[in-house]
Amino acid sequence: MQASQVRVLMMGLALVLLAAACSEPAPEEQGTSVSEESTDETDAGDSSENDADTDGTDATDVEGGSDEGAEDGAEADDASDADDSSEGDGDSGSDDADNGQGDTAADDSVIGEYAGESWFRGTVPDTAVAADPSLEPVKIGMINIEESIAGSFPEVRAAAAAAIEFINTELGGVDGHPIEFLPCVTDFNIEASQACAQQMVSDEVVAVAGGIDITSEGSVPVLEQNGLPLVGGIPVGSIEMSSPVSFYFSGGGPGAFAGLAFHAVTESNASKVAIAYGDFGSFTIAAREFGADVVERQGAEVELIPFPMVGADFLPVFTKAADFGAEAIVLGAGDTSCIPAMQIRKDLGMEDIPLYLTGACAADEIIAQADGLLDGVFFNTEGPIAPDDIEGAMYQAAVDRYAVEPAGGAGTVGFRGMMNLWDALVEVGYDNLSPAAVLENVESSTDRPSFWGFPYTCSEDQIPGLGALCGPNQTVFQIRLVDGELQVEGVGPIEIDIPSLVAETG
Amino acid sequence: MAHLGYLLLGLGTGSAIAALALGVVLTHRASGVVNFAHAATGVYIAFAFYTLRNTGDLVLPIVGLPAEIHVVDRPTVFTALVVCLALAAAVGALQYLLIFRLLRRRPALARVVATLGLFLYFISLIRLRFGATGATGLEIRSILPSGVVRIGSTVVFRDRFILAGILLAVTALLWLLYRFTRFGLATRAAAEEEAGAVRLGISPDLLGVANWALAAMLAGGAVILVAPIVRLDPAGTSLLIVPAVAAALVASFSSFPAAVASGLAIGMVQSELLNLQADVEWLPDIGLQQGVPFIVILVVLGFRGERLAGRSLVLAQDLPPAPDPVKLVPVTLAIAAAGTVGLLTLDSGWRQGIIISAIVAIIALSVVVVTGYIGQISLAPFAFAGVAAFALVRLSEDFGVPFPIAPIIAALVATVVGVIAALPAIGVRGMNLAIATLAAAVAVEELVFKWTWFTGGSRGARPPQPELFGVDLGISGVGTDFPKPAFGILVLVVLVLCTLGVIGLRRGRTGLGWLAVRANERAAAAAGVKVAQAKITAFGVSGFLAGIGGSLLAYQRQQISSASFGVMNSLSLLAITYLAGISSPAGAMVAGLLATGGLLTVYLEQSNPDASQYQEITNAVMLIVAAIAFSGGLTGSVRSGSERLMAKLRPQTGDDIDRPGSGFAMDTVVDATEGSRASRRPTTGTAPATSATPETSPVAGSLSPSAETKR
């Protein structure tokens, strides 16, 4: 075959592929399995350069309970189960009466199922009320990374979309006005993130619901310049953890490492704590500046053990911890590290040394594979652990009803963020809505109830230098194998006040 | 714990690197290709293996075909291995038949670009086939016997030793195969002199298929065995190719035992560094484990550079022509004028596209200089850009240096780095230099970009916005004012100046010296060109251009971090510049258009907002196709096409030889001592009706793109 003929053939093949690609519909389902009450965690970040780890773990009732997960030290915050116990409630008993102007939804609505129960806005309304589609919508944006080599987290967007549908269909929107969702997908590219942020500005959204944006150094400066609040989501980079327009209902990696380290010293009584972490990005900051600091302030010794994100064998890591004489090990790494790390711990006979894992390792897939490896392991979550988890159940019911794509795993964070944002929008009121008003409202929050999470405070830095981490409190709990099933047992759960802890270490 | 113990603990990671290095050496020995997609191929095979074990389904590698086929319920380890190694062989054979056979006589750079496309293809394929959960949804258990081995106080798992043993056995087999069997001898013969081997009845294609199939089986087997140790992640595990290539480089891409020894050594050193970094307080808190092995490699190259075998030969013969760019002056000015109009009239999306395209074009100019003009493959342009970007912030914030002095000094810092990077180039050629610069880029990323003072660490750095005589030239703006046209005009002015500068250098004595070195180093030296000085100058200019681009990127992004200037950015830039045309400033302009976030991206997003999930994998295929089909890049193809068209339209005369458009692949022969262009002679195509008479003895050199690459 002549070279020119080959060229023609190759070009033709490429054109066929291009045509097929452009006409290919998006998949109906991919990735994370959605289990009914667990949050799966998205892992972003095993590779040194590019990945981000997000974590959402799932806790309490590991075998099937509803929870959410803890976060992965570095990048994802996904969280937890929340008891609907938020304190701060009370004045929201008539949410739907305040918001809705539309028709009452059917009796089989989510609201109808949980009517009268306590939730973050006081009491769940008695009846569902739909927003009026003829009214001017409230525009909410989102920047979320999908379909990239560094990871893809469509579940965050899908869950936020489900929350919006839930709000529009059953919670009356914002003073009767429906919410219009305008997400922008970025693909692990700074310019794309920047373009997405500019898109948010062009679309004239009043706020950006937080997703996962690994290259947020592109988007955050644009949002800052335009005073657009970024509310909820999973903090990945340091810029978004410290930006004046970002507000996360999470403690990010710093909160996770601080909480786990504190528990190791005070509850596991470890006088020597080894902190092993993937040497990349905010893992490093979280481990060194928060985890290690907390250990030392509690009077214990700490050994920091960084390992490469790419191709690291955990055998030297755990051996080093053993050589140090560690009485507890805190490990911050991506979800693909969980099984190898726990297996090596077992093979080295170190199961008597408490192991603390950030939330990525409590994903359903990992739990399913890990079997007995998880016995005795400690995790963190960012909400109280309670048997009557109404908000978790509501989340699941809403997702089942309104999600058009898989919305589990890290989607819990997207759902929670959107619900909290809606809370703020309602409080501001449609007539006063503007980015500045929303920003001011969220920024002034003090001990404010969070949907399915700990109350959050954005009015002052909860973690020094990382003012965007509004809800850093942690619950650390242990998992034990009981009668062949994993249960929250053993030491804890212990709720940890991260702001006071970090303030002491300051 | 004895240090020796930690070295032994590095056997796991070292085995992974060594196993991959074996395949890299094999591929290079057989085909002269450094296959950057080798590990990614293995990762796909490993995913297929563990999926087959879990579900009985075999995931297929070709998009468009069914995603998977059911093979057998609950296959045993042996069955799954056989099936997947057969799959690997098929994948390897296809890679050779469809891609690398067609690139056999193409520039080394084209093969690099093709392997990058293949790398992206497999990563995208894994994402498509296995979803966002990736390997977390797979049960990955070691198929090697478990247990522990105690050596003194060190506990090492038995499977690490078994893995090392398997490695050594495979290495020995490969050594025997290629040294004593007919197949091995034929492979070596074809590699050294293909034409002669053909005359002896040896089929290079058959050998190529067999060798690539074997290499893919090695990749698949390697990742299957090491996945339980180093984890399985599409991007992360695929990036093990970097230390694997480093190990292969130390082994001169020829020795299997040396590659394995180097790979094991890298893993062991990383393990010992883990030990030391935890204990030794004065060791800096930077990516030592990842970076130091590459420093070692650079040192090895520095000492052994001239004696390293260069597979690809005379690189200059492989590069497309570097025509006189004088006609680009009005074109450049016209582009700048059009860009200015666009900045003043178009919406923010298009303005951003113009700005990003212009900045990337400046950085791409650095690639044109160092690779297109002087024939040195450098895989570190973004490393230089990043050094300048962070230097800019430090100069502005810590020393109060104002604009425009700060970005100029920052670019000079990058120039110094570029000159330092040139030092290995003096003794190293072709692909070896490419690997060396790749190693340098990784070292910069791990050791410099993680230096907290310099880069702000994980918190990143924010450069102040540029301002000149009270005029705000920054990009930031509220609402649709962003990006501000003033910043865009600044970028366009810088682009024009840089382009004119490159054109001037190309047409002057410096550029002619570069081309002479590119054509034939020894001949250039014989003619009086100071080869080392020429290379250093080229790298310095390249570093300066990349530094200017890096500073502008810092202003454009407004916040930069160590992740902003990673190795993959350099590889991507090299690929698109090659596609655009690596031997001309016009290619740099087109590269800017093609860059992510540039004008083409804006156009595609506006014309097709619902991008398909297959977009990324389609891009990878297009990259491979372009590497095969466009040897001179887009600009070269356009130029060749227009020249042919002009030739057909114009009657042939003797003067045509000296005019572009004659249809010949012209080469420029330089008498550097005379400082003038001595003669030109066509090197391909129809014999000229007349020939120019050289004024002085020419420096011979052939720049025909159709000349065969000697192996």
Side-chain angles (χ1 to χ4, degrees):
Chain A
M1 184 181 282
Q2 298 294 320
S4 58
Q5 290 173 324
V6 169
R7 287 197 190 92
V8 169
L9 178 64
M10 297 298 288
M11 287 304 298
L13 177 64
L15 285 171
V16 168
L17 274 174
L18 182 60
C22 291
S23 61
E24 188 72 28
E28 288 181 7
E29 191 174 316
Q30 68 172 336
T32 343
S33 60
V34 180
S35 89
E36 178 141 333
E37 286 129 341
S38 58
T39 46
D40 191 44
E41 99 194 27
T42 49
D43 166 34
D46 262 334
S47 89
S48 60
E49 212 171 335
N50 300 322
D51 291 351
D53 274 324
T54 64
D55 239 258
T57 54
D58 188 47
T60 38
D61 194 1
V62 176
E63 56 206 355
S66 50
D67 308 294
E68 346 132 357
E71 75 221 26
D72 160 294
E75 279 133 318
D77 246 350
D78 194 51
S80 60
D81 66 5
D83 188 34
D84 48 72
S85 55
S86 348
E87 346 331 52
D89 43 351
D91 53 348
S92 44
S94 54
D95 299 327
D96 43 327
D98 289 340
N99 287 333
Q101 293 184 14
D103 297 334
T104 302
D107 290 337
D108 61 348
S109 63
V110 175
I111 292 298
E113 186 177 349
Y114 295 97
E117 299 282 358
S118 293
W119 75 332
F120 77 127
R121 300 196 80 236
T123 307
V124 176
D126 294 329
T127 53
V129 177
D132 184 351
S134 67
L135 296 180
E136 192 70 19
V138 175
K139 295 180 183 179
I140 299 295
M142 173 179 272
I143 301 172
N144 196 46
I145 186 171
E146 299 181 26
E147 304 300 336
S148 81
I149 62 172
S152 179
F153 309 102
E155 62 271 26
V156 181
R157 174 183 49 78
I164 288 173
E165 190 62 26
F166 172 49
I167 291 166
N168 287 342
T169 306
E170 300 189 28
L171 295 174
V174 180
D175 293 343
H177 293 255
I179 295 177
E180 182 181 359
F181 191 36
L182 299 168
C184 180
V185 171
T186 180
D187 58 357
F188 186 59
N189 178 276
I190 295 173
E191 281 70 33
S193 292
Q194 199 173 52
C196 272
Q198 193 57 31
Q199 181 73 42
M200 300 290 108
V201 174
S202 300
D203 288 344
E204 297 182 334
V205 302
V206 294
V208 179
I212 298 177
D213 185 7
I214 300 172
T215 48
S216 60
E217 61 204 73
S219 57
V220 170
V222 175
L223 296 179
E224 287 179 358
Q225 284 150 21
N226 290 275
L228 268 180
L230 175 65
V231 182
I234 297 174
V236 175
S238 300
I239 179 175
E240 51 199 353
M241 293 187 198
S242 57
S243 170
V245 301
S246 298
F247 306 96
Y248 293 98
F249 310 114
S250 165
F257 271 84
L260 294 174
F262 179 78
H263 192 282
V265 176
T266 60
E267 301 300 323
S268 295
N269 300 312
S271 61
K272 288 185 166 186
V273 179
I275 299 180
Y277 60 96
D279 187 15
F280 170 70
S282 50
F283 271 113
T284 305
I285 293 180
R288 300 189 78 90
E289 298 184 22
F290 293 91
D293 204 36
V294 165
V295 171
E296 289 176 333
R297 293 285 178 171
Q298 297 304 315
E301 284 183 61
V302 64
E303 176 97 308
L304 287 164
I305 309 173
F307 55 86
M309 293 295 284
V310 176
D313 181 358
F314 282 103
L315 181 56
V317 175
F318 277 84
T319 302
K320 187 63 189 174
D323 285 348
F324 168 63
E327 295 169 2
I329 301 171
V330 178
L331 177 66
D335 56 2
T336 55
S337 307
C338 303
I339 300 289
M342 290 189 285
Q343 186 67 54
I344 284 180
R345 169 178 174 253
K346 179 184 176 185
D347 291 342
L348 285 175
M350 295 172 66
E351 286 169 298
D352 57 335
I353 301 176
L355 176 64
Y356 290 80
L357 295 178
T358 54
C361 297
D364 287 340
E365 296 84 4
I366 295 169
I367 291 172
Q369 292 178 46
D371 293 331
L373 292 176
L374 280 170
D375 186 27
V377 175
F378 292 87
F379 291 95
N380 68 306
T381 185
E382 290 181 326
I385 293 177
D388 53 342
D389 181 13
I390 298 299
E391 285 170 341
M394 289 181 72
Y395 149 78
Q396 195 61 59
V399 162
D400 288 346
R401 191 181 298 265
Y402 297 112
V404 296
E405 299 174 64
T412 58
V413 178
F415 193 97
R416 184 210 306 163
M418 192 57 235
M419 292 300 290
N420 286 344
L421 176 57
W422 168 70
D423 181 42
L425 296 172
V426 167
E427 193 164 285
V428 171
Y430 179 81
D431 292 337
N432 301 316
L433 267 186
S434 69
V438 176
L439 195 151
E440 184 183 346
N441 180 279
V442 179
E443 192 177 39
S444 64
S445 301
T446 301
D447 211 22
R448 186 167 179 167
S450 170
F451 181 86
W452 207 11
F454 282 120
Y456 63 93
T457 297
C458 301
S459 54
E460 53 186 37
D461 284 6
Q462 300 301 288
I463 295 180
L466 300 175
L469 302 179
C470 299
N473 285 355
Q474 306 284 317
T475 298
V476 179
F477 59 95
Q478 187 178 30
I479 288 178
R480 298 234 67 126
L481 199 60
V482 178
D483 296 329
E485 290 184 348
L486 291 168
Q487 300 279 354
V488 177
E489 289 281 341
V491 180
I494 304 293
E495 293 182 9
I496 300 172
D497 183 350
I498 298 297
S500 59
L501 180 68
V502 171
E504 289 172 16
T505 65
Chain B
M1 162 72 65
H3 296 291
L4 178 62
Y6 276 95
L7 290 175
L8 286 176
L9 290 175
L11 275 179
T13 302
S15 296
I17 297 170
L20 291 170
L22 268 183
V24 172
V25 169
L26 191 157
T27 309
H28 190 271
R29 282 177 61 144
S31 316
V33 173
V34 176
N35 185 7
F36 287 100
H38 182 70
T41 304
V43 171
Y44 157 69
I45 298 296
F47 264 95
F49 172 82
Y50 288 103
T51 302
L52 182 64
R53 283 273 292 152
N54 289 182
T55 66
D57 297 329
L58 183 66
V59 179
L60 299 179
I62 298 178
V63 175
L65 292 181
E68 56 193 28
I69 54 173
H70 189 73
V71 176
V72 61
D73 293 338
R74 299 183 176 280
T76 62
V77 171
F78 179 77
T79 303
L81 262 180
V82 168
V83 170
C84 287
L85 289 181
L87 175 65
V91 167
L94 279 176
Q95 288 179 1
Y96 177 76
L97 287 172
L98 294 181
I99 303 172
F100 296 102
R101 180 173 63 91
L102 304 174
L103 289 172
R104 231 173 34 220
R105 295 183 179 81
R106 286 300 174 79
L109 206 45
R111 297 196 288 269
V112 170
V113 169
T115 62
L116 291 179
L118 211 52
F119 175 91
L120 292 173
Y121 177 88
F122 278 111
I123 290 179
S124 302
L125 176 75
I126 293 167
R127 288 281 176 203
L128 278 172
R129 295 283 195 250
F130 300 94
T133 49
T136 55
L138 296 175
E139 186 175 337
I140 299 177
R141 305 273 185 204
S142 178
I143 61 175
L144 300 174
S146 58
V148 297
V149 175
R150 291 185 184 277
I151 299 176
S153 59
T154 306
V155 174
V156 184
F157 293 154
R158 183 172 294 137
D159 61 356
R160 271 59 165 179
F161 285 107
I162 296 175
L163 188 58
I166 293 174
L167 252 182
L168 294 176
V170 170
T171 303
L173 283 173
L174 284 174
W175 183 78
L176 290 170
L177 176 70
Y178 283 90
R179 187 162 176 83
F180 296 113
T181 67
R182 186 179 162 81
F183 168 77
L185 292 172
T187 299
R188 285 164 58 192
E192 288 169 9
E193 179 53 60
E194 184 177 305
V198 170
R199 284 193 288 272
L200 290 172
I202 295 172
S203 168
D205 285 344
L206 205 57
L207 288 174
V209 167
N211 281 294
W212 276 80
L214 185 56
M217 290 169 69
L218 278 176
V223 183
I224 288 171
L225 290 177
V226 305
I229 298 173
V230 300
R231 295 158 284 156
L232 197 58
D233 176 79
T237 313
S238 298
L239 284 173
L240 279 176
I241 191 60
V242 180
V245 166
L249 177 65
V250 174
S252 304
F253 290 100
S254 61
S255 168
F256 293 121
V260 167
S262 303
L264 288 172
I266 290 174
M268 289 174 162
V269 167
Q270 288 183 331
S271 175
E272 172 62 3
L273 280 172
L274 180 147
N275 171 42
L276 292 175
Q277 211 166 359
D279 287 346
V280 180
E281 286 191 12
W282 57 262
L283 277 176
D285 177 29
I286 50 181
L288 278 184
Q289 294 174 52
Q290 295 290 71
V292 171
F294 293 98
I295 294 291
V296 171
I297 287 154
L298 292 177
V299 170
V300 166
L301 286 176
F303 281 108
R304 292 174 48 207
E306 290 187 0
R307 294 192 295 276
L308 283 173
R311 252 333 273 267
S312 316
L313 10 180
V314 186
L315 177 65
Q317 291 186 350
D318 302 335
L319 287 170
D324 186 344
V326 65
K327 288 184 179 176
L328 284 180
V329 174
V331 172
T332 302
L333 294 173
I335 289 174
T340 302
V341 171
L343 287 170
L344 295 173
T345 58
L346 296 176
D347 66 28
S348 61
W350 285 104
R351 294 202 305 271
Q352 183 74 319
I354 291 171
I355 290 170
I356 292 171
S357 287
I359 293 175
V360 174
I362 293 170
I363 303 178
L365 276 174
S366 74
V367 178
V368 168
V369 167
V370 79
T371 303
Y373 285 166
I374 203 167
Q376 307 296 312
I377 302 179
S378 171
L379 300 183
F382 261 84
F384 302 150
V387 167
F390 289 113
L392 168 72
V393 177
R394 291 279 70 81
L395 287 166
S396 304
E397 296 289 318
D398 297 352
F399 300 101
V401 181
F403 177 87
I405 300 172
I408 292 174
I409 296 178
L412 290 173
V413 172
T415 302
V416 171
V417 176
V419 167
I420 293 172
L423 298 178
I426 294 173
V428 177
R429 301 191 180 88
M431 194 53 64
N432 288 334
L433 178 64
I435 305 306
T437 54
L438 178 63
V442 173
V444 167
E445 189 176 340
E446 293 293 333
L447 301 178
V448 178
F449 291 170
K450 288 185 178 178
W451 181 17
T452 306
W453 173 81
F454 186 58
T455 65
S458 301
R459 291 190 168 86
R462 291 202 185 211
Q465 289 299 291
E467 187 182 292
L468 189 63
F469 305 125
V471 177
D472 180 10
L473 296 175
I475 195 174
S476 66
V478 177
T480 53
D481 285 347
F482 176 92
K484 282 191 184 159
F487 178 73
I489 293 171
L490 167 69
V491 172
L492 287 174
V493 168
V494 174
L495 173 63
V496 168
L497 292 174
C498 290
T499 305
L500 294 180
V502 170
I503 291 173
L505 284 171
R506 158 66 182 83
R507 303 190 78 234
R509 189 187 178 90
T510 302
L512 295 178
W514 288 346
L515 293 178
V517 170
R518 175 186 124 147
N520 189 308
E521 285 188 23
R522 293 190 180 90
V529 175
K530 294 185 176 66
V531 173
Q533 181 178 313
K535 287 184 178 180
I536 289 173
T537 306
F539 270 90
V541 170
S542 174
F544 184 83
L545 289 167
I548 289 290
S551 295
L552 290 174
L553 261 185
Y555 287 134
Q556 182 263 326
R557 290 174 176 174
Q558 307 178 79
Q559 169 87 22
I560 53 175
S561 70
S562 55
S564 303
F565 302 95
V567 169
M568 291 305 297
N569 292 323
S570 289
L571 297 179
S572 297
L573 179 67
L574 180 73
I576 63 170
T577 308
Y578 176 83
L579 296 179
I582 207 164
S583 297
S584 165
M589 302 282 186
V590 174
L593 293 178
L594 298 177
T596 303
L599 285 169
L600 180 63
T601 302
V602 176
Y603 170 75
L604 289 176
E605 282 177 351
Q606 298 210 354
S607 59
N608 181 20
D610 298 323
S612 164
Q613 60 165 333
Y614 289 91
Q615 191 64 42
E616 205 168 86
I617 203 165
T618 305
N619 291 343
V621 171
M622 296 295 286
L623 193 61
I624 296 170
V625 168
I628 295 170
F630 300 109
S631 62
L634 292 171
T635 53
S637 296
V638 168
R639 185 175 53 250
S640 299
S642 64
E643 287 173 358
R644 282 194 288 272
L645 182 62
M646 293 295 286
K648 285 180 182 171
L649 294 177
R650 194 186 325 114
Q652 291 283 318
T653 67
D655 292 341
D656 286 338
I657 289 169
D658 293 332
R659 288 161 60 178
S662 65
F664 296 104
M666 306 295 289
D667 76 308
T668 302
V669 176
V670 176
D671 183 345
T673 57
E674 294 292 330
S676 63
R677 191 170 305 152
S679 72
R680 293 177 187 165
R681 56 186 169 83
T683 55
T684 63
T686 311
T690 63
S691 58
T693 302
E695 294 177 357
T696 60
S697 299
V699 174
S702 169
L703 289 172
S704 165
S706 61
E708 287 192 14
T709 300
K710 291 183 181 176
R711 304 179 62 179

